[in-house]
Amino acid sequence: MNLFLQLLITGIVIGSIYALLALGFTLIYKATDVVNFAQGELLLVGAYICLHTTVSYNVPFLASFALTLVFTFLMGFFIEKIFLRRMIGEPVISIIMLTIGLSSVMRALVIIVWGTDTRTFPEVFSQVPVVVFGLSISRVYLYSIFAVAIFLGLFSLFFKKSKIGVAMRAVACDQQAALSMGIDVKRIFALSWAIAAVVSAVGGIFLGNINGINTSLSHFGLKVFPVVILGGLDSIVGAIVGGLLIGILENLAGGYLDPLVGGGAKELFPFVIMVLVLMIKPYGLFGTVKVEKV
Amino acid sequence: MLRINNIEVVYNDVILVIKGLSLHVQGGQIVALLGSNGAGKSTTLKAVSGLLRPDNGEITDGDITFMGERIDRKDAADIVKSGLFQVMEGRRVFKDLTVEENLIAGGFTRKSSCHGANLERVYHYFPRLKERRRQISGYMSGGEQQMLAIGRALMANPKMVLMDEPSLGLSPLLVKEIFHIIRMLNEEEKTTILLVEQNANMALSACHYGYIMENGRVVLDGPGKQLKENDDVREFYLGMAGHKSFREVKHYRRRKRWLS
């Protein structure tokens, strides 16, 4: 039982970070129809920038956290403006190649600037675990869950209440109608990338605090695919639910199956789920079922 | 107020859809633009509101002025800001958004501080929308969606509204209601309206002035009442030709003049 709960909590923590990443992915996909293969690299860059400002300039963690958000916001904004803007109306495959290219470039830049060694954050969260119901939980886990919940709450408020947020959903729904309303669709595209970069950076910073940072963090970008396929490509709720589910399932699989099969179940499991979902329910849990009339 | 001067519109660089169309809308009036399928009515409206680009269309000749200012090279967003709003064909409500969110999206170009007053105004004209303000708009009936589409236009405080087939797919009773609302907007809000319609009878009764299009150009224009009396219009658009034998080729000859 204890093992189960321990796995469950790790799963929720990792899952909530998947949820953030998938939120960014879905946002871009919904608003701009771009399948973003560079999501993991956005996370990587965010994590390294936060690490760099805390370690090299001795900025307090919270301030460097905020700085990272501002920087990644601008980065996402300009990535769209410089690279993706020209690709509007181009074939899907070209756009996918572009995002794959972007991911390689970003990873290479990170290696050039920061190298490939695993680096760790200075102790931001106290190492003493919290004990809840006889179960010891590391503090960084708690903060991570807490922060992700706050971010998701803020974003749902933003999408519900603010004029720009409503406009973003309107663009996702019907671009031309949004255009006829005077909504600046191009700015909304850029904003989607900016927000996607910010949420990924938040995920990256917490992952960095849990495991340390090296370039393999960007592999988290690949896990986004099982998550969004399970949740439904174009559903924000789906991204969050899918993220948590995949996080929990892969950790349970890791805990219970790894001893039996000798390791690797954790890495494999999300993709097994992905294939199963594609076979049984191709639009995922919350995705829109597209019916094409001929 | 709005003057379209001899414009040509080309789709995909090759297909000439509008061939030298001119029309003029006076401030405070309802002007109807009629014509059969494919005559280029919707294209004309899109040319005015700057929405041709997503459809790969382009104005290649002529100019469009709104309140003395050229708008044919402007962005759609700037055109909305200058006070011209298009209610698109097929309602095009944002299906995943609630009624109120749809309206807020409609008022995107206005400051958030005006939203309260504007919402009240929309709810005054459409009490039914107020009842359903929290409902997801995709689940509403066609008539309610059309009201929402018009309400969205009101949120932008436009001086002039372009309406593309507001009666599309609605029951006769609802068509009457929608036209009643259009007249009210014109009289009470002093909004100028350019109306594209297939329902020639309703449109000609409601409008002050009408234009009839065929094959990308205007073939006939005049005050609404006068058009309604016109023999050709009565025959081809209002279906009031009386009993006629197929032998009467005269009809055919007259028809040809329209189609050339």
Side-chain angles (χ1 to χ4, degrees), chain A residues 276-287:
Chain A
L276 285 179
V277 170
L278 282 175
M279 281 161 64
I280 300 163
K281 205 169 182 324
Y283 296 100
L285 294 176
F286 299 95

Side-chain angles (χ1 to χ4, degrees), chain B residues 47-62:
Chain B
V48 173
S49 55
L51 292 179
L52 281 176
R53 218 167 297 156
D55 291 344
N56 254 330
E58 200 189 350
I59 302 173
T60 50
D61 199 14

Side-chain angles (χ1 to χ4, degrees), chain B residues 1 14 27 31 48-49 57 76 78 106 108-109 112 118 149 184-185 194 218 221 223 233 241 256:
Chain B
M1 194 168 201
V14 280
V31 173
V48 173
S49 55
D78 292 328
F108 184 77
T109 50
S112 303
N118 276 339
M184 230 162 51
L185 290 182
L194 176 58
V218 171
D221 66 301
V233 174
K256 257 175 93 178

Side-chain angles (χ1 to χ4, degrees), chain A residues 148-192:
Chain A
V148 170
I150 286 177
F151 261 84
L152 292 180
L154 279 179
F155 275 112
S156 68
L157 220 67
F158 168 75
F159 284 122
K160 275 266 164 217
K161 297 288 168 202
S162 79
K163 196 172 84 169
I164 302 273
V166 170
M168 284 181 81
R169 285 163 60 213
V171 169
C173 214
D174 187 336
Q175 245 174 58
Q176 207 181 18
L179 200 64
S180 84
M181 237 135 270
I183 294 172
D184 189 347
V185 174
K186 286 175 189 158
R187 217 180 71 197
I188 300 284
F189 281 13
L191 204 60
S192 312

Side-chain angles (χ1 to χ4, degrees), chain B residues 176-193:
Chain B
K176 255 189 189 157
E177 201 177 329
I178 293 289
F179 270 93
H180 175 69
I181 290 163
I182 291 172
R183 267 196 222 116
M184 230 162 51
L185 290 182
N186 176 249
E187 280 160 20
E188 291 177 21
E189 299 283 327
K190 305 282 174 248
T191 315
T192 311
I193 291 167

